[in-house]
Amino acid sequence: MSTLVQAGAHPAPWFRRDGGLQAYAEVFERMRAFTEARTADTPDELWLVEHPPVFTQGLAGKAEHVLLAGDIPVVQSNRGGQVTYHGPGQVVAYPLVDLRRLGIYVKEYVFRLEAALIQTLEIFGVVGFRVPSAPGVYVNLADPFNLGLPAGPRQDVFEGLGKIAALGIKVSNHCTYHGLSLNVAMDLEPFVRINPCGYAGLKTVDLATLGVRAEPQAVADVLAERLGHHLGHSSNPVPFAF
């Protein structure tokens, strides 16, 4: 899409806030308040965080997709999608972007987020790809380094695949919040307590499972640069303060 090149050609600064480990509910309320208060002149921001263990339900979330929450809290959210898990070792990125100012609609915004994720994975040697009607980024479990979609007939769309990145967004008055998560090196056990994104049996993986050794901060830096490219921004780091 030619607009992707245009978005990255003359980047405008946005504020990048690196928050480290932050409680999900607090960040949720902060970005909702930020979005409600922003004006046409408010600079866009990118928030990069990790969350303590938490299951989050999107607006389409169904209680039956939480199989066994156990000691992990379940938080209702106003993002799109269904249930997912956040925990340490996962990079979570929240782009707070004015789509009207950028000149794009929601469908292209999602495409750009996924493009940034796929290119980030490529830098770490992993081939990621989209699955139609299932937002996020996936890998071929048989060979995540050289192959795309598994070849041959499959019983279902996710056969042979593992999900490595999830998306869930909210758009209010043309402005985005919530965002995306990329699994780097985390405890994946909580994912078996849910039907990830509403899909029973969907396998979830991280870079560490695929044999890629990377620090979450290093992955976050690459992802931030790729998001900036696709959303027309260069980074201007500022402290993340509540």
Side-chain angles (χ1 to χ4, degrees), residues 37-54:
R38 68 181 299 169
T39 69
D41 298 322
T42 302
D44 292 339
E45 298 197 5
L46 174 65
W47 298 2
L48 296 165
V49 299
E50 295 181 52
H51 292 306
V54 62

Side-chain angles (χ1 to χ4, degrees), residues 20-25 27 49-56 72-73 85-88 90:
L21 194 66
Q22 299 279 345
Y24 177 83
V27 176
V49 299
E50 295 181 52
H51 292 306
V54 62
F55 295 118
T56 71
I72 298 177
Y85 169 73
H86 296 304
Q90 177 190 67

Side-chain angles (χ1 to χ4, degrees), residues 120-209:
T120 298
L121 290 172
E122 183 179 11
I123 288 171
F124 290 93
V126 173
V127 177
F129 52 87
R130 301 174 176 87
V131 171
S133 302
V137 175
Y138 303 79
V139 298
N140 181 348
L141 294 175
D143 188 346
F145 305 105
N146 296 308
L147 301 178
L149 285 163
R154 292 178 289 157
Q155 294 297 316
D156 66 77
V157 69
F158 297 113
E159 185 177 346
L161 306 184
K163 189 167 190 175
I164 195 166
L167 270 69
I169 66 170
K170 172 71 175 178
V171 180
S172 177
N173 194 28
H174 306 285
C175 294
T176 69
Y177 60 109
H178 295 292
L180 57 150
S181 59
L182 176 57
N183 305 333
V184 179
M186 57 190 305
D187 178 7
L188 296 173
E189 185 276 333
F191 283 105
V192 305
R193 306 191 201 180
I194 60 174
N195 293 329
C197 303
Y199 298 108
L202 175 60
K203 292 182 174 62
T204 304
V205 297
D206 60 7
L207 287 174
T209 301

Side-chain angles (χ1 to χ4, degrees), residues 35-111:
T35 303
E36 290 176 353
R38 68 181 299 169
T39 69
D41 298 322
T42 302
D44 292 339
E45 298 197 5
L46 174 65
W47 298 2
L48 296 165
V49 299
E50 295 181 52
H51 292 306
V54 62
F55 295 118
T56 71
Q57 279 278 30
L59 292 173
K62 298 180 180 179
E64 59 265 31
H65 289 311
V66 181
L67 308 177
L68 181 64
D71 58 349
I72 298 177
V74 180
V75 177
Q76 183 63 47
S77 169
N78 65 350
R79 62 166 173 78
Q82 300 200 40
V83 65
T84 193
Y85 169 73
H86 296 304
Q90 177 190 67
V91 174
V92 183
Y94 295 127
L96 308 174
V97 175
D98 186 333
L99 296 182
R100 182 163 44 193
R101 189 163 58 204
L102 188 58
I104 64 173
Y105 295 100
V106 174
K107 185 175 181 180
E108 184 173 349
Y109 175 65
V110 170
F111 183 91

